[in-house]
Amino acid sequence: MTEAATTLGPPSAPTPFAFSEASWTRIRKLLTRYPQQQAALLPVLWVAQEQVDADASRPRQLTADVIKAVADALGLAPAYVWGVATFYTMYFTQPVGKHLVEVCTSVACCLVGGEEIYQRLCQRVGIDPASGGTSADGRFTVRRAECLAACGYAPMLQLDNGAFHENLTEEKLDALIDSLREATA
Amino acid sequence: MTKVLTAHVDHPDSHRLAHYRSVGGYEAARKAWTSMAPAEIIGEVRASGLRGRGGAGFPTGMKWGFIPVSSPKPKYLVINADESEPGTFKDRLLIERNPHAVLEGVVIGARAIGAKRAYIYIRGEFATQVKVLEQALVEAEEAGFVGPDLFGTGEGVEIVIHRGAGAYICGEETALLNSLEGRRGYPRLKPPFPATNGAWDCPTCVNNVETIAAIPWIITHGGAAYSQIGVFEPGEEGKPPKVDSRGTRLMCLSGHVARPGVYEVPLGISFRELIEDYGGGVWKGRKLKAIIPGGSSTPVITADEAMDAVLTYEDCARLKTMFGSGGLMVIDDETCMVSLLTVLLRFYAHESCGQCSPCREGTDWLYQVLVRIRDGKGRPDDLQTIRDLCVNMEGRTVCPLAAAATMPTISYLTKFLPEFEAKVSAAQPVGVH
Ligand SMILES: Cc1cc2nc3c(=O)[nH]c(=O)nc-3n(C[C@H](O)[C@H](O)[C@H](O)COP(=O)(O)O)c2cc1C
Ligand code: SF4
Ligand code: FES
């Protein structure tokens, strides 16, 4: 409850979120694919999150104004939308740094060094491995992930809800961190 | 050796329509739509002996037969591409390298059960894979292999790809349906079953990606040909078969194995052959300690047990484990089972949807107790606490996730008890409790 109350607070962007024309086109198409409007909720949350993510002026988070826009688009209550969004791990219901790095520490990865990769990553970017979280400079959010269906190519991590980086070694991890640092310097 | 699912996946364009067509792609769909009645299609699938590859191993033909033939409500085919069981990465291979086989299977399955629309529910983390599947769908639609009018019949099927957003439990079929309906992914109480009351309360069939991808081959070559692969021993008069493990399966090898990866093998080969011949044996020249046969939810078996066993549903049952999802994890003799079980239980504590108290609290307690044992702070009665927790969780919940945590837990405690006892007895006193 407290989590919802704080995060659903005042919008943190200067201008409230509104779906772009391109996003509306996607949403209208989505609505034709389900017998009930509510079923488009997960896809519409994805549309919203992708628009938020592409807009450098906005925080990387589904703020209250974003949730409201999704709710209005589908005729749902914002509290309902929030309730659904918080069930899933991939929606940015918490603030996320410039890069979201999720290391798989499920069983197959841990058999071949997934935990060590996670620990090293946390140490390199200055995050407490016990909790994960966002680095002080806001560049990295690090989390443990559960199995990402790459067990044969372990250890692995997923970057920004997208590409898998597989068969990781300390060297590969360090090179990745360096390249991300450069990209956001 | 016959490959049903992966014969062409090494070709660089195996995911493109042109390549799929060049190896006979969509001819099975044409056959099913233009020259077979729905009941005939189901008959072939029944004859094939194909059992669901999502985990439970339920006969696919029988499942299709449960969908009412005439229904005032629309019927849906839903494909489970949530693949999240630790150790499993086979559906991903099919989506990346053979997406048209999945789509063609859907087109045939839709005709068999009379669905006008099918949903492919794909886990949200498959951001790259979803693009491959979407591209394949566009290709198939443009070529007229998916859509409202198939092969001049005036009827057809629309396929919708629906992306999840991160939640293991959405692989459980009723949680998946709730998620598809735009809800939290809470499993539903059964009955009613999806066959009569599934998506939007309509008749719904949920099939795994690997299951549906085998359908085109079965329609092309016939159910009888498929049932020749693997092992089958009929039962006595009026009894179910003694062994019913037909076809091929994608086995995912991971952990301490020299050549991890996905291998398509006929059912009935030995675990030894799979691990040694296909997987190159245990890595670093070490010895085998144990294997997890079918994803983290399946009870562990020792090296001795594994080396005498074959890949059938029946042999897995004999060893009080399950064939599961095909996610086989190899564990070498330098592995600490206490640490392994701790990692395994973190998964269930994280993934419990929270709907039932025994599971929500129990998975977390199990994890906490294991952490304490692993860290050398275990108490003498902790092993009994674990057993009590398991008894109080299993069978008292809406879905099998609680059992998916307790069954393996008990198996580690039973088969590797001395390791756990040593940890607990070596523990330092931590004050008065
Ligand atoms: C906790 C839990 C997780 C599951 N995860 C998956 C999954 O990721 N993929 C899958 O195909 N089946 C999964 N299943 C099994 C499905 O509920 C369902 O039985 C299956 O999709 C049916 O398809 P099949 O008959 O083709 O195997 C899971 C079941 C449970 C209880
Ligand atoms: S058993 Fe666990 S995962 Fe399944 S419905 Fe209950 S709380 Fe959710
Ligand atoms: S256990 Fe890490 S990807 Fe499966």
Side-chain angles (χ1 to χ4, degrees), chain B residues 242-386:
Chain B
K242 283 195 190 117
V243 182
D244 189 4
S245 297
R246 289 174 276 180
T248 66
R249 269 199 91 160
L250 298 182
M251 295 300 298
C252 319
L253 293 189
S254 67
H256 301 148
V257 64
R259 286 195 300 268
V262 178
Y263 298 94
E264 180 170 8
V265 301
L267 292 185
I269 69 163
S270 64
F271 279 99
R272 181 190 296 275
E273 186 180 348
L274 178 66
I275 294 167
E276 290 179 359
D277 298 352
Y278 288 87
V282 181
W283 75 345
K284 301 183 180 175
R286 292 188 196 157
K287 284 212 186 67
L288 184 69
K289 178 172 187 173
I291 66 163
I292 303 173
S296 69
S297 306
T298 61
V300 69
I301 55 182
T302 64
D304 287 346
E305 290 173 322
M307 282 303 140
D308 289 337
V310 294
L311 276 90
T312 59
Y313 293 94
E314 293 75 15
D315 234 22
C316 288
R318 176 178 66 81
L319 295 171
K320 298 198 169 50
T321 186
M322 285 172 308
F323 213 162
S325 61
L328 190 154
M329 288 173 269
V330 175
I331 299 163
D332 75 18
D333 58 348
E334 294 190 12
T335 310
C336 165
M337 289 310 210
V338 179
S339 300
L340 186 146
L341 181 58
T342 311
V343 168
L344 199 122
L345 285 170
R346 180 171 60 212
F347 175 80
Y348 296 95
H350 185 261
E351 299 297 345
S352 167
C353 82
Q355 208 178 190
C356 330
S357 316
C359 172
R360 182 187 62 241
E361 305 300 323
T363 49
D364 202 46
W365 287 355
L366 279 176
Y367 174 55
Q368 300 298 342
V369 174
L370 253 301
V371 167
R372 147 168 118 204
I373 296 175
R374 180 198 63 191
D375 294 346
K377 297 182 187 137
R379 304 167 193 171
D381 54 357
D382 271 352
L383 299 185
Q384 191 52 41
T385 305
I386 294 174

Side-chain angles (χ1 to χ4, degrees), chain A residues 32-34 38-39 46 80 83 86-91 105 111 144 146-152 158 161 166, chain B residues 87-89 92 117 119 123-125 127 162-166 179-185 254 256 260 346-347 351:
Chain A
T32 64
R33 294 180 174 157
Y34 303 91
Q38 176 185 289
W46 276 122
Y80 179 82
T86 49
F87 185 82
Y88 300 92
T89 57
M90 296 183 77
Y91 295 128
T105 55
L111 284 172
R144 289 176 183 278
E146 296 296 352
C147 181
L148 289 165
C151 329
Q158 179 165 34
N161 280 348
E166 301 176 325
Chain B
T88 317
F89 47 102
R92 172 185 166 193
R117 195 186 269 150
Y119 292 94
R123 69 179 295 182
E125 292 88 344
H162 184 95
R163 187 173 167 210
S179 184
L180 179 65
E181 291 179 12
R183 304 170 195 276
R184 303 187 124 218
S254 67
H256 301 148
R346 180 171 60 212
F347 175 80
E351 299 297 345

Side-chain angles (χ1 to χ4, degrees), chain B residues 52-54 63 80 82-84 171-173 206-208 211 400:
Chain B
R53 304 300 194 221
K63 193 186 256 190
N80 190 340
D82 195 57
E83 184 159 72
S84 323
E172 194 283 333
E173 58 186 12
V206 183
N207 283 132
N208 169 259
T211 311

Side-chain angles (χ1 to χ4, degrees), chain B residues 81 91-99 122 129 132-133 209:
Chain B
D91 297 339
R92 172 185 166 193
L93 173 94
L94 291 173
I95 293 164
E96 286 176 352
R97 305 302 315 159
N98 204 1
I122 182 165
Q129 291 75 11
V132 182
L133 192 59
V209 166

